[in-house]
Structures are given as C-alpha cells and as structure tokens.
Amino acid sequence: MNKGGNPRKRPPPSYTRQPSPATKHQATAPTPLPQSTEEDFVDEDVFLDETLVGEEDVESLILRNLEEREALTFRLSKWARPPLSNAYISQSRSIVFQQLEIDYVIGESHEGLLPYSSGPAAIIRIFGVTGEGHSVCCLVHGFEPYFYINCPPGMGPDDISHFHQTLEDRMKEKNKNSRVPKFVRRIELVQKRSIMYYQQQKSQPFLKIVMALPTMVASCRGILDRGIQIDSIDLISHAPEGEFSKMAPFRILSFDIECAGRKVANLVTLQGEDQPLIRNVMTLNSCSPIVGVDVMSFDTEKEVFLAWREFIREVDPDIIIGYNICKFDLPYLIERAQTLGIAEFPILGRIRNSRAMQRDYKLSSYSLNSVSAHFLSEQKEDVHHSIISDLQNGNAETRRRLAVYCLKDAYLPQRLLDKLMYAYNYVEMARVTGVPISFLLSRGQSIKVLSQLLRKSKQKNLVIPNVKRAGSEQGTYEGATVLEAKAGFYEKPIATLDFASLYPSIMMAYNLCYCTLVTPEDVRRLNLPPECVNRTPSGETFVKPNLQKGILPEILEDANSVYGFTGATVGQLPCLEISSSVTSYGRQMIEHTKKLVEDKFTVLGGYEHNAEVIYGDTDSVMVQFGVSDVEAAMNLGREAAEHISGTSTKPIKLEFEKVYYPYLLISKKRYAGLFWTNPKKDIPGAVQYVKNTISDLLMNRMDLSLFVITKGLTKTGDDYEVKAAHVELAERMRKRDAATAPNVGDRVPYVIIKAAKGAKAYERSEDPIYVLENNIPIDPQYYLENQISKPLLRIFEPILKNASKELLHGSHTRSISISTPSNSGIMKFAKKQLSCIGCKALISNADQTLCLHCKGREAEHYYKTVSQVSELEELFGRLWTQCQECQAGIVQYFTEGRKHRKIW
DNA sequence: TACGGCCCCTAA
DNA sequence: TGAGTTAGGGGCCGTA
C-alpha cells in the first residue's frame, strides 16, 4: 500500500512552488484519485500529481463557476473504481492481479529492499487489474540485466575478479559523466550450454555478467525474463491455469468524437460484461436528454476538454479503444487542446509526466470499417462535416441527434472487440508466447518466437547467442517448388490435396532445431550412426530426438511463425541451415506426392483413368483423376491423401481438401475454380456480361470510383529507379498541397486520364478527387487495353473461340464515346423562377415563400419542410454509410444536382 | 518491337 | 535497433 496510509485519500497537495490560486482551488474541489493500488514493496508514487499544473496555467483551471466544477466532480466520482477493502488497506492480504502491461523505468535503487546497492537502477512496472477491478501498478526492484559470455578456458576466481575490474574501468571510461557507482554489478561463473548446434557435453562454463542498467546490455531481452527473487518477498507468477486462467474485469473505454460539433461520447465496459458500465456524452452547448445516457453539456470547448480529461482520470481505463483514434481522434484532441491553450490537457496518463497514448497501437485500422460491416452488419456512420455544423448550430434537439451518432460510433469498436474476442485472443496469445500484450500490437512476429525460445532455453539451461548484424551477402536460400501449371479449362472435377501446416510438420518430423544441428566438422568428428541423424535434402545434418530433442519442434506445438523466424537474416537468431532444410524437405514432399499419385492411380494399377497432377504450389497438388463424377473424385482424393500420409514421417499429413469443378488454370499462381456445388459455368452469359461492361466502359457509363487504381508508396520519390504512375502523382500532389499529399507508407489512389497520344501512363495519372472537381475526362481505352484485355483473354481464351475478336472488337466496342457531362445542355435555355412552397404557383416577390392563396398555412408548411429535411438527412446518412463500403473508404462521391462533391 | 529490370502484389 | 520467408505474375519503363 501507499506508505501514506489509505491510498484512496488524495495526499495533501504538496506543492514545491509558492502557494498559488490553484492550491486553494484544488483544495476546495479535490479530484478523487484513480484507485490504483500498489504492492507492498513499492514506494514509488504513481498517483496523478497536481504539481503538473504550471503556474501560468493555474488561472485557466479555475472555472467561472466553482459550483459547476464541483457538480462535475461529484458526477464523475461515481465512476471511480470500487473502493479498496480494509484487507487491502491494512496490508493483510496478498494481491493477485492479471498483468496487462509491463515496462521499466530508471529510478533510484531501493535502500530498504536492496541495502547493498545504490545509484540508478531499473525498476520494473507491472500494470494490471485484480479480480475485484482494482488497478494495480506493481513496482519490482532488484531486476538485474545480464548476459552470458563463453568462459575463457582456464579462467579461475582470481582471473574473474581481475576481468571484472578491467571491464568496470572500461565502462567508467566510456561513461565519464554517469553517476552510476558500479556498472558491472558482478560476474558469476555458471554452467550452461549454447542453443547452437548439437553438443555431446551437457554444459560448459559461462560467465554471467550482471549490469546495473538494461541500457548497458544493449538489448531488451532481459526485460522478458521475470521471476526475480527479492529478499523476503516473492513475487509469484502464476501459470494461467484454473483460478488464474480467468480474465480480470479490465476497464475498456471506447470513445468517439464529432470534432466540428465538439462532442465526446464515452462508453466504458468491464471485460466480460455484455453492456457498458458507463455511457455518457459530453457536448458543447445544451443537448436534449438521451435515455440511458448521461448527457453533460458545457458552455465552452475548454470545459468539454477538461471534463473529458477528468473523466479519463476518474474512470482510469486499462485499455482505450476507438475507431482510428490513434490516427485521428487523439492527435486532434491534443492539437486542439494546444490551440485552445489547455496545456494541462494532454496529461491523460496514469504516471505523472507521461503523456497520453505515446504508443499507438493499430488494430487493423485499415479495414476496420469493412470488418465491422462484415461482422456486425453495420458501419461507423461518420457524419459529414457540413451536417455536423448544421446539427451543432441548431438547437438542443439537433445536438441530441449528433450525440446519438457519436454514441453509436463509440459503441461500434466495443462490440467489435467483443464479437471478435480480441481481448481473449490477445491475452491468450500473450500467455502462450510470454510477451506483454502491447508487444502483440506494436511489434512483429519474431518477438513472439524469440520470447518462447528464451523461455524454453531457460528451462533447459541453454543460452542464446547474440548474433551480430548479418552481412547482406549471405541470406538467400531456395524456397518452395511450384509445379509446372498445365494451363487449361478443366471440365472434369479437380481434387485438391494439401499438406496441413507443412513447414511446422517438417520441423517436428525431422527434429529441426538450433540445438540439433550438427556442424560439418562434428559430422566428420563424431561419426554419429545413421540411425541417430537425419540428413536433409539440402545437405544438413540434424540429430534425432533420442540424442537431443529440439526446442523449435516443442514451440511449434503452440505457435507457427517459426520457419520465417529462422530465415530472417536481419532477425535475432537466423539459422539458414534450418530454413533451407525445411524448404528442401517441402520440395521433396511435393515432388514425391506428384510422383506417387501419378504412379499409383493408373489404368495399369486397376483404376478407370490415369491420374494427372495439373498443378501444385508449395504444399498442395491439384489432381485430375479423370473421373467425371464429383463424388468419385472426392473418394479418389481421400484415398490418395491417406496413401501418401502413410508414407510420410509423422506428423506430416496430406489431406484431401476440396474438389473444384470446373477449374480454370491460367498459369502458376493464377487459377479460378468453382466448388462442386456450382456445377455449371454459364459461358454465353459471361460473354454477354463482359460485352455489356465493355460497352458501358467505352460509353462513359461507369462510376469514377471503379476506375481508381491504388498502389502503395513504399519509399520516397527520389529512391525510385523508374517513374511510376503513383509515384509521379504523389509528387505532383505534393506540389499542389503538401499537407494532403500521400506520404511514404500511404496508398495512392489514382485514375488514368486522357492526354496526348504517346504520353506515358505516369504522366496521365491523376488524383480522383482532382478529376472530379475539374471534370477531367478519364481514358477508357487505357483501362480496356492495359487493365482489362489481357486478364480477360487469359480467362476466356481456353473456353471461347476467337475470344479477342468476340470480346474486344465486337460491335459493342463501336459505341460512340461521350465525353464528360457538362452544363451545356438544355438547361441553358431554362430560366429560374420562384414558386410557392405550398402549391408551386409562380410568385414574383423574392421575399415570399408562399403565394397569397397559401398564406396563413405557414405552420403546416414549415412542419412539412422540416420533416422533409429530416428525411433527406436520414437518406444522406444511409447513402454515406453505403458509400463507405466501396473503395475501402478512401474516396467517396455523391452527386448533388449536377455538382460533384467529395467526402472523405 | 523485344527484353531486362524495377516495382507491386499475391500465393503459399 | 526493429523487421517472418521465397516464388512468381504482370505492369510498365527504358533501352537496344
């Protein structure tokens, strides 16, 4: 517990500065604390600290009406975490919590706990939640970063102390200004074995070098090792079994803002609950009540911001989610707060001096909308900014409508999280791989493999070498075999046979691992009997499990990106002997499969037809058994799969997957097929469809969005060796407006426009929005010739005679192309006239909306008009939602009269 | 016009 | 300073 006593009480304001108005203010309207609890041996004050408020900002904190402020504080206080029970406060019980995050800070070595060290030390912070919903920050002292080196032969205790002194001196030299009293804490002689290569001896001497700070090891690997023993206090890491496999009730905050409307909607859900614990919305200006929602209205934007900050502090969420919040909402809020001069706003974190959301985690932000459309059959309804302004500037009722939109959009990410069980998946993944949850979101695949490798190695007393940055000269090896594709349109069923998880199975079947690999010297020197080793098709030697069981095969039982890990020459522990052995076995398997199938399923062998493998890639083969009957093909497929599985080493298994019927094989990696449930391909219908579409294309009857090509901008303009359409466009856009131009990593949408004959494609690429705004004609011919014709012919040539003539040169291609629509038509002859809203009679007075006849029925017509507007708005909302489905939400258009407008 | 090479994307 | 892999098709530029 906090040494100050009851941690629920805010410690008295302890300003180091002179008394200021803020002191008084904060004393009269104290902000309750988030219910953070701390472990016994924690002495760091993690509470949000009032000294964050600078002198110059103090005035601004005082709201015009102190009562209002108090009312808000009272209102927010009901959302605080549950109060701590006496058992916690009296320190009489141990604290069990689920870890959510872990990091470390550099702090002062703990005198009480670590009486024999001093100076800066790494303090590990474990953030978590207890079963009752209390927030925990556990500070672990005594963590010591270390690494191993091979012990030079013949080194004794005296040599070690000498070595220690030398090392210490060198460190001091390098860090003259450091106040660290001792860099190398100690050096121990230990017995370990390297994970690299099969070794007959069980262990050999290593030196364990323990450093004062992790930065000194130049590696963060040490952080992952937990379970540090501290005098008299055990920090126990429970295996996630039984009681400890449960999920703590994390507080998940899902929020959304409607920026022009200055609204924030917040939903807080406890992990495991169906319904949000808190639903509220904070609005600028009045807002009509919403059932089941706490509506809070403020007079100034600043008050909204501060209220939201207070809310975050009070609720103390463990996880913050939202639609694109890292890229939009949070940066917007922080920037806007700066503009408004609310310096204290960005401090949303739990730890003083740490800013809100420094790490932005992405949860497939790219396609969240399509994902939510898919899984929830509803989408985020971004309200167009012009509508936002209108609704905001209306009355309490229109602002209420805006608030409802906002709430709905805040709810969506929460429901998605539930539906896809992200929380469970990430927690389970973290448990399996042994990395913090944040790593799963912010780091790559390889950290998971490395973490498991470290964990297993520790159990087995193995150490992992720190490989130097690999030179780029080595690093490639042969990959998988892709069987020659016998291109054609197959009108008999094609059976597909797949190896289930081929690469992991190979690693398990042949015990491929760092620690089972035999060096070429040892192959000669040790003269291991053939029955104890496997020689891989790529020429490497690995011992069988009876001599040494591999660690990688063990890990594979839990996770499967191990193959890529071993082949990552820029990674932490590449071992191309393993990766090339894996692919070599894979190549052997697929060739073997092809041969076996074609040898066994023959007329000579008693079957109706000779089977033919028409294609295969990496781990699959496509077989034409020659039978016309789908059922027969399936049976033969099963038979073949079983036969081949029987000849392979366990757990390698070939499975019968499916039957394609018919099947169109264009080339390697290019095929299409229909499952047997759809037995017919309507060729005349397909031809007609293609003809109609081409005609529409040439007649300009297509929506511009269908012409948008999108390519990724992978590097800056200068680094491209050749000119490419999307790169050139990005450069042109940068000249037009650097702020909105695509950056490296963005995807660049473009269309190809008409231009002088001979102009290169990269000169004709244009921003779709620019094209719409300036009525620039696109070039249908380009799309027909460069984008459509070749793939079309590849598909149709095997199934249609004279495909090119029929599809690309038929009468349907001779339609006259109409250029972009203009205002030159009949409307030029029309004249605008005012008419009565009620009866459409012409009226001459420009100030009037009703004719004399309708006068007196204003209320009726007003009501009618209002409901029409509301209907149209509703329609707009739905159109907008639908609109977002195409083009992955990049650029959308709608027409308003004849004028094109863009929405983004 | 043919062809090598860059670039992007996808299969597995 | 953090990063799974190779095979292969195809668009299109630049050059012979």
Side-chain angles (χ1 to χ4, degrees), chain A residues 79-122:
Chain A
W79 291 319
R81 288 176 182 270
L84 289 175
S85 67
N86 285 329
Y88 276 117
I89 296 161
S90 63
Q91 307 189 17
S92 66
R93 59 175 287 184
S94 59
I95 298 170
V96 177
F97 65 96
Q98 181 172 0
Q99 177 190 333
L100 274 170
E101 173 71 301
I102 185 166
D103 66 3
Y104 78 89
V105 288
I106 305 293
E108 205 63 25
S109 187
H110 195 289
E111 253 181 76
L113 292 166
L114 306 161
Y116 302 109
S117 8
S118 62

Side-chain angles (χ1 to χ4, degrees), chain A residues 164-184 211 216:
Chain A
H164 187 170
Q165 194 53 51
T166 316
L167 205 58
E168 182 69 24
D169 291 346
R170 291 275 164 82
M171 287 295 291
K172 275 212 172 70
E173 252 172 65
K174 261 192 142 179
N175 303 277
K176 282 206 173 82
N177 299 325
S178 174
R179 60 182 195 87
V180 178
K182 203 174 182 186
F183 289 90
V184 183
M211 307 299 294
M216 297 172 184

